[in-house]
PDB file of all heavy atoms in Angstrom:
ATOM      1  N   CYS A 842      -3.991  -1.476  35.099  1.00  0.00           N
ATOM      2  CA  CYS A 842      -3.092  -0.513  34.574  1.00  0.00           C
ATOM      3  C   CYS A 842      -3.901   0.772  34.310  1.00  0.00           C
ATOM      4  O   CYS A 842      -4.744   0.811  33.402  1.00  0.00           O
ATOM      5  CB  CYS A 842      -2.439  -1.002  33.307  1.00  0.00           C
ATOM      6  SG  CYS A 842      -1.463   0.295  32.504  1.00  0.00           S
ATOM      7  N   PHE A 844      -3.082   3.369  32.760  1.00  0.00           N
ATOM      8  CA  PHE A 844      -2.898   3.937  31.433  1.00  0.00           C
ATOM      9  C   PHE A 844      -3.829   3.233  30.434  1.00  0.00           C
ATOM     10  O   PHE A 844      -4.460   3.768  29.565  1.00  0.00           O
ATOM     11  CB  PHE A 844      -1.459   3.827  30.947  1.00  0.00           C
ATOM     12  CG  PHE A 844      -1.228   4.538  29.655  1.00  0.00           C
ATOM     13  CD1 PHE A 844      -0.793   5.844  29.654  1.00  0.00           C
ATOM     14  CD2 PHE A 844      -1.444   3.894  28.434  1.00  0.00           C
ATOM     15  CE1 PHE A 844      -0.639   6.527  28.452  1.00  0.00           C
ATOM     16  CE2 PHE A 844      -1.254   4.598  27.285  1.00  0.00           C
ATOM     17  CZ  PHE A 844      -0.873   5.941  27.242  1.00  0.00           C
ATOM     18  N   GLU A 845      -3.860   1.918  30.597  1.00  0.00           N
ATOM     19  CA  GLU A 845      -4.786   1.085  29.805  1.00  0.00           C
ATOM     20  C   GLU A 845      -6.209   1.628  29.945  1.00  0.00           C
ATOM     21  O   GLU A 845      -7.030   1.726  28.959  1.00  0.00           O
ATOM     22  CB  GLU A 845      -4.715  -0.407  30.090  1.00  0.00           C
ATOM     23  CG  GLU A 845      -5.510  -1.269  29.128  1.00  0.00           C
ATOM     24  CD  GLU A 845      -5.481  -2.719  29.507  1.00  0.00           C
ATOM     25  OE1 GLU A 845      -4.722  -3.112  30.442  1.00  0.00           O
ATOM     26  OE2 GLU A 845      -6.205  -3.528  28.851  1.00  0.00           O
ATOM     27  N   PRO A1113       1.424   4.184  33.363  1.00  0.00           N
ATOM     28  CA  PRO A1113       1.380   2.793  32.928  1.00  0.00           C
ATOM     29  C   PRO A1113       1.924   1.889  34.031  1.00  0.00           C
ATOM     30  O   PRO A1113       2.863   2.180  34.734  1.00  0.00           O
ATOM     31  CB  PRO A1113       2.373   2.739  31.689  1.00  0.00           C
ATOM     32  CG  PRO A1113       2.500   4.192  31.312  1.00  0.00           C
ATOM     33  CD  PRO A1113       2.342   5.037  32.552  1.00  0.00           C
ATOM     34  N   THR A1114       1.284   0.711  34.183  1.00  0.00           N
ATOM     35  CA  THR A1114       1.732  -0.212  35.157  1.00  0.00           C
ATOM     36  C   THR A1114       2.047  -1.586  34.411  1.00  0.00           C
ATOM     37  O   THR A1114       1.155  -2.382  34.283  1.00  0.00           O
ATOM     38  CB  THR A1114       0.667  -0.512  36.244  1.00  0.00           C
ATOM     39  OG1 THR A1114       0.184   0.784  36.637  1.00  0.00           O
ATOM     40  CG2 THR A1114       1.177  -1.257  37.386  1.00  0.00           C
ATOM     41  N   PRO A1115       3.260  -1.730  33.942  1.00  0.00           N
ATOM     42  CA  PRO A1115       3.569  -2.890  33.104  1.00  0.00           C
ATOM     43  C   PRO A1115       3.569  -4.218  33.960  1.00  0.00           C
ATOM     44  O   PRO A1115       3.718  -4.153  35.162  1.00  0.00           O
ATOM     45  CB  PRO A1115       4.920  -2.581  32.567  1.00  0.00           C
ATOM     46  CG  PRO A1115       5.436  -1.427  33.156  1.00  0.00           C
ATOM     47  CD  PRO A1115       4.383  -0.846  34.122  1.00  0.00           C
ATOM     48  N   HIS A1118       0.195  -8.750  32.146  1.00  0.00           N
ATOM     49  CA  HIS A1118      -0.975  -8.439  31.411  1.00  0.00           C
ATOM     50  C   HIS A1118      -0.706  -7.672  30.197  1.00  0.00           C
ATOM     51  O   HIS A1118      -1.610  -7.534  29.279  1.00  0.00           O
ATOM     52  CB  HIS A1118      -1.959  -7.666  32.344  1.00  0.00           C
ATOM     53  CG  HIS A1118      -1.269  -6.508  33.058  1.00  0.00           C
ATOM     54  ND1 HIS A1118      -0.844  -6.648  34.367  1.00  0.00           N
ATOM     55  CD2 HIS A1118      -0.915  -5.313  32.723  1.00  0.00           C
ATOM     56  CE1 HIS A1118      -0.212  -5.590  34.772  1.00  0.00           C
ATOM     57  NE2 HIS A1118      -0.269  -4.711  33.717  1.00  0.00           N
ATOM     58  N   CYS A1119       0.522  -7.077  30.032  1.00  0.00           N
ATOM     59  CA  CYS A1119       0.818  -6.307  28.769  1.00  0.00           C
ATOM     60  C   CYS A1119       0.669  -7.152  27.584  1.00  0.00           C
ATOM     61  O   CYS A1119       0.444  -6.611  26.467  1.00  0.00           O
ATOM     62  CB  CYS A1119       2.224  -5.723  28.836  1.00  0.00           C
ATOM     63  SG  CYS A1119       2.438  -4.452  30.123  1.00  0.00           S
ATOM     64  N   CYS A1122      -2.591  -6.516  26.036  1.00  0.00           N
ATOM     65  CA  CYS A1122      -3.003  -5.087  25.976  1.00  0.00           C
ATOM     66  C   CYS A1122      -2.818  -4.488  24.536  1.00  0.00           C
ATOM     67  O   CYS A1122      -1.817  -4.780  23.888  1.00  0.00           O
ATOM     68  CB  CYS A1122      -2.201  -4.281  26.983  1.00  0.00           C
ATOM     69  SG  CYS A1122      -2.633  -2.506  26.915  1.00  0.00           S
ATOM     70  N   ALA A1125       0.046  -0.876  23.831  1.00  0.00           N
ATOM     71  CA  ALA A1125       1.483  -0.864  24.135  1.00  0.00           C
ATOM     72  C   ALA A1125       2.214   0.194  23.256  1.00  0.00           C
ATOM     73  O   ALA A1125       3.168   0.856  23.770  1.00  0.00           O
ATOM     74  CB  ALA A1125       2.089  -2.199  23.828  1.00  0.00           C
ATOM     75  N   CYS A1128       1.691   3.532  25.312  1.00  0.00           N
ATOM     76  CA  CYS A1128       2.288   3.754  26.665  1.00  0.00           C
ATOM     77  C   CYS A1128       3.779   3.652  26.592  1.00  0.00           C
ATOM     78  O   CYS A1128       4.489   4.259  27.404  1.00  0.00           O
ATOM     79  CB  CYS A1128       1.788   2.786  27.643  1.00  0.00           C
ATOM     80  SG  CYS A1128       2.390   1.138  27.381  1.00  0.00           S
ATOM     81  N   ALA A1131       5.427  -1.166  27.724  1.00  0.00           N
ATOM     82  CA  ALA A1131       4.929  -2.528  27.786  1.00  0.00           C
ATOM     83  C   ALA A1131       6.048  -3.459  28.167  1.00  0.00           C
ATOM     84  O   ALA A1131       7.180  -3.301  27.843  1.00  0.00           O
ATOM     85  CB  ALA A1131       4.380  -2.922  26.435  1.00  0.00           C
TER      86      ALA A1131
HETATM   87  S1  SF4 B2146       1.027  -2.284  27.616  1.00  0.00           S
HETATM   88 FE1  SF4 B2146       1.094  -2.692  29.728  1.00  0.00          FE
HETATM   89  S2  SF4 B2146       1.809  -0.819  30.696  1.00  0.00           S
HETATM   90 FE2  SF4 B2146       1.168  -0.321  28.565  1.00  0.00          FE
HETATM   91  S3  SF4 B2146      -0.958   0.357  28.823  1.00  0.00           S
HETATM   92 FE3  SF4 B2146      -0.993  -1.812  28.310  1.00  0.00          FE
HETATM   93  S4  SF4 B2146      -1.027  -2.832  30.353  1.00  0.00           S
HETATM   94 FE4  SF4 B2146      -0.399  -0.717  30.636  1.00  0.00          FE
END
Side-chain angles (χ1 to χ4, degrees):
C842 173
F844 189 91
E845 186 185 353
T1114 314
H1118 47 262
C1119 292
C1122 176
C1128 75

